[in-house]
Amino acid sequence: MPRAVIIDTDGGVDDAAALWWALRSPELDVVAVTVVWGNVAVDTAMASVGRVLAAAGRADIPVARGAAGPVGVAPGLRPATFIHGDDGLGNTTNGLAAPAMTVATEAAPALIGRLCRERPGEVSLLTIGPLSNLGLVLADDPGFAATVGELVVMGGSARAGGNALPAAEANIAHDPMAAALVAEAGWAQPPLLVGLDVTREATLTDGHFALLGEHRSAAAAFLDAPLRFYRQFGSVLTAPDCPCHDLVAAMALADPDLIPDAPVLPMAVDAAGGPAWGATVVDFRAPAVARLRGAEQDRAPGFGPWRIGLGADVARFRSQAAALFGG
Ligand code: RIB
Ligand code: CA
């Protein structure tokens, strides 16, 4: 029985790959896509998502518009159009007519809250953009967290430093206050953080790009040009390999063996505006402290228990990505 999942996305190129992956996964049933600002403006991200769903033959899935900006004070980041294109799809759709899509009547935070409350423990959440939508749901109803099945967040970094800022990964840096609310909410089970520690390891290779160019699957035909655009700037820290952050997170939701090294550790977000603004702070001392004291690990204010992805099964990721591209 596939697991019901809501995907919360900011409509970029790696988001499109993640969406394609989730739509063709027999493990997942995408019940809604919720859209948030981030890589591009929220309305551009809506159109980007609509194009993916239409190309995948799933224009029936409801798409809800969400936050157009951060819920709290946030660093002023420049738009990521240089990585994702003006359209969020590598400038492959600029000027085309709007896609046919099923736009939800509720805003994203309302839809997320309602779907999870209607089926407590049954609906999972995959977030692959800034956490503004989740922050809004939690601000309205902190009890919502206990109704969510599994939460997988692409964001943050335990040991790998930042990408948008020196210490901050982009999805957290866009809205640190929302991310701080998410970090310490009372989730039913520790959420999985899929951060730069794993997404810079589990990368796409030259072989994947050769395969993409053959257009052997509908996903490859759609993603080929956007991923080539994205690769130019998205892989500056990993060249010649190319991270595809959101795709790793989508696969990790469907396949728990993809990230075998994911200890439960306390995690918080620095929302204070200093040099580490937007950093995810992981307390690696916690297990040692717990052993020493023979008690539950101490948790400082603002921290919540998370499964922190530290190591991926890279071969597994690469083989599943190749399968998506028709290999
Ligand atoms: O840091 C990577 C994340 O930022 C991905 O979700 C990418 O799409 C951008 O939003
Ligand atoms: Ca994203």
Side-chain angles (χ1 to χ4, degrees):
M1 176 89 167
R3 253 185 312 157
V5 59
I6 301 169
I7 300 182
D8 191 63
T9 169
D10 60 343
V13 173
D14 56 335
D15 301 73
L19 207 43
W20 268 100
W21 170 263
L23 293 171
R24 68 182 285 288
S25 168
E27 318 292 331
L28 303 177
D29 173 20
V30 181
V31 295
V33 180
T34 54
V35 179
V36 68
W37 77 295
N39 291 322
V40 289
V42 66
D43 288 323
T44 307
M46 286 287 287
S48 161
V49 166
R51 290 189 198 289
V52 176
L53 294 177
R58 293 305 312 272
D60 58 301
I61 294 176
V63 183
R65 186 181 188 277
V71 303
V73 182
L77 302 174
R78 66 175 168 145
T81 48
F82 61 103
I83 299 178
H84 296 273
D86 293 336
D87 58 353
L89 290 170
N91 291 332
T92 57
T93 70
N94 292 337
L96 296 184
M101 58 196 284
T102 307
V103 178
T105 49
E106 290 166 289
L111 184 70
I112 294 169
R114 181 175 62 76
L115 291 178
C116 293
R117 279 187 220 100
E118 278 175 1
R119 298 167 64 185
E122 285 180 23
V123 179
S124 295
L125 284 180
L126 169 66
T127 71
I128 52 178
L131 291 158
S132 314
N133 284 341
L134 272 201
L136 288 169
V137 190
L138 288 167
D140 187 48
D141 175 15
F144 146 81
T147 69
V148 174
E150 187 175 354
L151 170 64
V152 174
V153 170
M154 191 285 124
S157 166
R159 294 173 170 144
N163 57 1
L165 291 172
E169 180 281 330
N171 288 340
I172 308 296
H174 274 91
D175 196 347
M177 287 183 80
L181 281 176
V182 172
E184 63 173 333
W187 304 103
Q189 51 180 303
L192 175 64
L193 191 79
V194 180
L196 299 179
D197 307 83
V198 286
T199 64
R200 283 189 185 149
E201 245 182 43
T203 49
L204 302 178
T205 64
D206 284 338
H208 288 102
F209 282 89
L211 189 56
L212 269 170
E214 294 178 31
H215 293 195
R216 284 201 221 163
S217 67
F222 185 94
L223 293 168
D224 180 20
L227 277 169
R228 279 177 210 285
F229 179 94
Y230 164 90
R231 183 188 197 185
Q232 298 171 72
F233 298 99
S235 60
V236 285
L237 297 171
T238 51
D241 292 349
C242 177
C244 198
H245 311 276
D246 297 340
L247 179 59
V248 182
M251 280 188 197
L253 176 62
D255 174 11
D257 293 332
L258 191 79
I259 301 184
D261 185 7
V264 176
L265 292 166
M267 192 271 283
V269 171
D270 186 337
W277 202 3
T280 45
V281 179
V282 176
D283 188 356
F284 286 98
R285 307 165 313 148
V289 171
R291 274 196 301 277
L292 189 67
R293 300 201 178 149
E296 265 215 14
Q297 58 201 30
D298 292 320
R299 243 184 257 146
F303 285 75
W306 282 67
R307 284 183 295 138
I308 307 294
L310 295 175
D313 184 335
V314 175
R316 201 174 175 95
F317 168 80
R318 288 184 175 154
S319 128
Q320 296 192 37
L324 176 67
F325 303 153

